[in-house]
Amino acid sequence: LQYEFDPQAISSLLSKLTLDTVRVQFQAKILAERCTQKDTSYDSPMELLPIDTAWLECWAGALRATGTLEESKDIATKMGLHLPPPNPFIPEDLSLKPAPADNPVVPQLLSVESGVSIFHRQDDLFKQPKAQVTFYIYSPYFHQDVSSYLKTALWSNCVEEALQDYAYDAQIAGMGYSIQLSGGCLKMALSGFNDKLHVLLEAVTDKMVSMTSVPEHIFGIILDTFGDDLRNQAYHSQPISQAQMRFQDLLNRGSSFPALELLETLPKVQRSDLDNLCQ
């Protein structure tokens, strides 16, 4: 890891990025029929092929350019490339708010209104213009039975997948978010620079409210990955992990369900079952 500015180290690293060592990876279900090999972990279809010669020639031509701004723009335009739009999550205000003199050790209850409780504590250790906000959303629907629990878990994962358009920009700006069903509640966590945390919160909540119908391709992605995770938990975990999961199942009885029960119910869930779940 490089923590200090080192032009020589940067140049050395960049010099290793050549056409002789480049690797391009595609992942898409429409390529399944062209994949005749199998990977060693999940027996998924795959195929290793040399890079198309026309691609390499096109890239080599770009590398031979003089490097002027005008020529770079012209080459990029011809290749269908363009600069990304401005990142909406880059902070502009990095000022620190002073912590109160009698800052409490643990978060304090600020208000209770319409069933919403707000706790807060200002950081006085790291002193960064950042914040971490966690919302705990409770509903009896989440754990009324294994089917409703499973639908909620799938829906929250689908929302996260649908937010991938924001994921890269948020990560570059030092921000992050997660939505998961845990401990009998839906937990939404956001972190990063407080100046633009409200922008991230609006993006996440807008997607949660507006996604009244889960797109078919997103549901397919989540169903596959969720099923793989459950199968790994149920059948491929080490004995000590199996014992820990069983212990957690007993502790969380009534607010979650064992992996085997979820796996048995998973094939019964259809994409349409998640419609209007956010309502």
Side-chain angles (χ1 to χ4, degrees), residues 141-142 147-157 181 186 277:
Y141 175 81
F142 297 157
S147 179
S148 60
Y149 180 93
L150 188 56
K151 291 175 186 176
T152 306
L154 288 171
W155 176 84
S156 61
N157 287 6
L181 188 58
L186 189 63
L277 198 66

Side-chain angles (χ1 to χ4, degrees), residues 97-110:
K97 294 178 174 57
D102 56 345
N103 203 23
V105 178
V106 298
Q108 300 296 303
L109 178 63
L110 298 184

Side-chain angles (χ1 to χ4, degrees), residues 103-113 115-123 131-138 188 190 197:
N103 203 23
V105 178
V106 298
Q108 300 296 303
L109 178 63
L110 298 184
S111 66
V112 179
E113 185 176 349
V116 178
S117 302
I118 300 177
F119 292 82
H120 174 265
R121 180 189 184 276
Q122 185 164 335
D123 168 63
Q132 180 168 332
V133 182
T134 305
F135 297 86
Y136 298 93
I137 305 171
Y138 292 89
M188 180 175 66
L190 304 100
L197 202 62

